[in-house]
Each structure stands twice: as structure tokens, then as C-alpha cells.
Amino acid sequence: MSIHKIAALALTLGLSAGAMAQAPDIATLSAPVVGNQGQTIGTANFQGGAHGTVVRIALQAGALTPGWHGIHFHSVGDCADTAKFEASKSHVNHSQKKHGLLNPDGPDEGDLPNVFAAADGSVNAEVSSPTLLKGAKGLQDADGSALIIHANADDHHTQPIGGAGARVGCAVIK
Ligand SMILES: [Cu+2]
């Protein structure tokens, strides 16, 4: 086969692959993140696809104490009790797994990697989860869900929340 014929073949394959590619069905949702005084401390953005959810978190300076913070999907979309954010209940966990990305009996559906707050307390992070955004067992179920930010890091194995401590930020996913 001549060089020209190979180039023509590659061009044909490239074009047909491009024509066959479908635009992914992506659901998007953006929600304010509120702190313990009910103040807005930033924004959480959720993108849901066929196999999971991507979360982008942007928190302003002063939002958090510097360092690592555990974040999770909690099972109820309610951030109204700003002092403790307990209305968001425990983790999303339809399959009753143990907590922890590093737990042999985990992870539960609420588990996410930690995010890091800079020296000024701001955060810019993107994390992903196999937990779906849409559907009856997704984050946008009947009572919604909440993205909760904790005071301390999650060790990814200790029950029930990896030692992450108090709830200092909350965003409603509905
Ligand atoms: Cu949590």
C-alpha cells in the first residue's frame, strides 16, 4: 500500500469515527456552599454522566481552615441547620457498605477524596465518584443529597466518617 493510500485510509477512518461519536448525555447542577453562619463560602458544581459524578469545588478565601478536609455526599438535601448541618443525615449508602475509600468493606456511596484548603482558606478542586447524579439511587433522588465539607481530613477507613469531625460547609443537591 502506498503512503498516499494509507493516508487516505486514515482520513476515512478518522472521519467515520468522528461521525459515529455521540455527544455524551451530561446533567449539570450548580449550588452555593454555605458555612456555619449561613454565609455563602463558594460554589459546588456537579456534572453527572452515565457512570458517575464529577464535582468541582471553588471556595473563597477564608472559607475553611488551611489544610485537608474530608468531603462526602450526605443523604438528604437540606443545609438549613447551618450550625451543625445534621439535617443532611448520614452518607448516601444504598448498598450498606462501610465508610472509606481504603476500607476493604467499603467504600460507601458518599465517599470522596479529601480537598486541600490553601493558606488563605480557599479551595479549588475537582473530584469524581461512581455515585450517579440522577435517578432513584442517585444524588438527585426524592429528598436530594448534600455535599458536606468537614473540619478535618478523612482517613478513608475509620467508621463512620474517617475522623473528619464537624460539618463546616454544605451544598444542596436537588
Ligand atoms: Cu461527611
Side-chain angles (χ1 to χ4, degrees):
M1 196 182 284
S2 75
I3 292 290
H4 287 113
K5 277 185 175 169
I6 291 170
L9 181 62
L11 187 62
T12 305
L13 288 172
L15 284 173
S16 59
M20 284 166 63
Q22 293 181 339
D25 183 14
I26 298 174
T28 60
L29 170 72
S30 188
V33 181
V34 295
N36 290 128
Q37 275 78 50
Q39 80 282 26
T40 299
I41 58 174
T43 306
N45 206 280
F46 305 87
Q47 289 185 288
H51 303 295
T53 304
V54 173
V55 185
R56 185 171 288 186
I57 301 168
L59 304 182
Q60 62 209 34
L64 300 179
T65 55
W68 292 101
H69 292 265
I71 58 170
H72 310 124
F73 295 129
H74 286 238
S75 60
V76 179
D78 187 346
C79 297
D81 62 324
T82 59
K84 292 191 172 179
F85 295 126
E86 288 178 345
S88 61
K89 302 285 175 68
S90 54
H91 287 187
V92 175
N93 195 2
H94 294 101
S95 49
Q96 300 299 306
K97 295 277 189 73
K98 296 290 187 196
H99 163 72
L101 294 173
L102 300 177
N103 189 316
D105 298 319
D108 67 43
E109 290 162 282
D111 289 342
L112 291 163
N114 291 309
V115 296
F116 189 81
D120 68 357
S122 66
V123 172
N124 279 292
E126 189 174 76
V127 298
S128 70
S129 165
T131 302
L132 298 178
L133 182 61
K134 293 187 145 205
K137 293 204 168 183
L139 300 170
Q140 289 179 300
D141 61 0
D143 61 1
S145 306
L147 180 77
I148 290 286
I149 303 169
H150 289 272
N152 307 313
D154 178 348
D155 66 15
H156 299 304
H157 62 86
T158 307
Q159 301 309 298
I161 57 162
R167 304 175 183 190
V168 298
C170 186
V172 172
I173 306 167
K174 261 189 175 167

